[in-house]
Each structure stands twice: as structure tokens, then as C-alpha cells.
Amino acid sequence: MTVHQSAAVVPEVRRAVPEERDAISLLIGESFQTDPVSGWVFPDEDRRRVVQPRFFGAYLDVALRDGWVDVTDDLSAAALWLPVRPEADGEEDGDLGERLSAADPGNERAGVVAELTGRVHPVDRAHYYLPVIVAAPGRQGQGRGRALLAPVMDRCDREGMPAYLEASNERSKALYERLGFAVLGDAIRLPEGPRLWPMWREPSS
């Protein structure tokens, strides 16, 4: 699918392959360098640059194994998806938690984010969860996010499957709202830090 927006041509969207894992983890780390929540979790800019590819690589590994990863053909944008099932025994969540802890041992703020988001993440209904979506610096605002999300929203509508995510800034929140997401309850307020917005999308009939 090729999307035109503001004279920019978005590359084709396709499924990532495991051999692209390292390149995608670097893309995610670079893209989140100026994200407000990442800045709160990793306040030291130099350390953030080093740790983030490892940290988000934990999400990436689980998505490649248990869900799927969509990318633009030039690897300038990526979206990680995880299926959530009410009958799951929690092993996946435990595995992810262990991977995140190993990525940056002793980072209490990462644990705070995990705890606060875990409290509001619905677990009583099957859905697709989007833990990470990024576009490379210099490629944001050119339609890549919408190009990555639109096919999955179509899939959700066909399957009757809801979707869930946490928006970490106002710009992404506005994009998700245009795609049918609505804020679920109150915003998550990090201690003396930024907010995240839990968002839920019901499938269109």
C-alpha cells in the first residue's frame, strides 16, 4: 500500500523478518530518543541512547515470537503487535518483564511505568496490543504511522477484534483518535513526569 501525504511517498508496508531484528531495535531506540516518557524513564541522554535499543528490543523479541512486526520497506518505521488472550496464564507477561529488567537492571522508573500501565490494561477480553510504533527522526508526520496502522485496523474490523495502546504524546494521541481509538478512563500520570493515555478501539461492524 502506498500512501501520499503532503507530497511525501510512504514506502510499502510489509511484515518484518527475524534477520531485521537488530536494525529495527536501533530504529526504535533512535525514534524514542526525544519521547517524553522515554526521557522520564532514562533521564540521562547518553545512557538513553545506549540502553533504549536493548530495552525496546525486549518488546521486539516477544512480538517477533508471539505476535508480528510491520515495517515500511526501507525500515524507516515499525509497529509491534501482540495478541492478548484472557485465557493466557501470564507466562508471556512474565517473560517480557524479565527481558525488560535485564535490559536495564535497577531502573526503578521502568518498573513504575510497567506497574501503572499494567493496572489499566484490559485483560478480560481478547485484543491486539500495540506496545510500540515509531517512525525515524526526519520521517515523522509523513503518513508512515497511518500506513502501518490502517491495515491492522482493517484486520480488526474483519475479525471483530478490539485494539489497545498507550499514547505517550499529544501528537500520537490525535492520530489514534482519527483511527477510531478513544481514551480509556483517566490518563496515567507518571510521578513528577509526563502522561500516557490508555486507548481502546472497538472494531467497526
Side-chain angles (χ1 to χ4, degrees), residues 78-97:
L80 282 52
W81 288 96
L82 293 169
V84 176
R85 302 176 302 279
E87 67 275 12
D89 58 12
E91 288 185 4
E92 290 98 339
D93 289 344
D95 178 49
L96 177 59

Side-chain angles (χ1 to χ4, degrees), residues 15-163:
R15 191 64 49 86
V17 296
E19 292 76 12
E20 296 171 315
R21 187 263 183 205
D22 290 346
I24 296 170
S25 67
L26 289 174
L27 164 68
I28 297 172
E30 182 182 13
S31 300
F32 272 105
Q33 188 66 13
T34 58
D35 180 79
V37 174
S38 287
W40 184 84
V41 174
F42 309 105
D44 181 84
E45 184 176 350
D46 291 336
R47 179 164 178 76
R48 189 187 321 148
R49 193 175 301 279
V50 172
V51 171
Q52 280 194 140
R54 274 201 318 263
F55 185 81
F56 288 107
Y59 286 102
L60 179 57
D61 290 336
V62 175
L64 286 169
R65 185 191 67 195
D66 299 329
W68 73 93
V69 178
D70 290 330
V71 295
T72 53
D73 202 36
D74 62 352
L75 293 183
S76 65
L80 282 52
W81 288 96
L82 293 169
V84 176
R85 302 176 302 279
E87 67 275 12
D89 58 12
E91 288 185 4
E92 290 98 339
D93 289 344
D95 178 49
L96 177 59
E98 291 177 3
R99 289 171 181 265
L100 292 172
S101 296
D104 192 24
N107 188 330
E108 295 182 358
R109 290 190 172 191
V112 169
V113 174
E115 179 183 354
L116 294 179
T117 56
R119 288 179 188 175
V120 300
H121 189 156
V123 295
D124 59 345
R125 186 176 172 190
H127 60 277
Y128 293 138
Y129 172 43
L130 178 71
V132 176
I133 181 170
V134 296
R139 296 291 183 266
Q140 299 169 357
Q142 297 179 356
R144 282 166 170 76
R146 180 179 290 274
L148 287 167
L149 290 172
V152 183
M153 299 303 95
D154 291 343
R155 174 180 175 177
C156 287
D157 294 341
R158 290 194 307 271
E159 297 179 0
M161 184 71 76

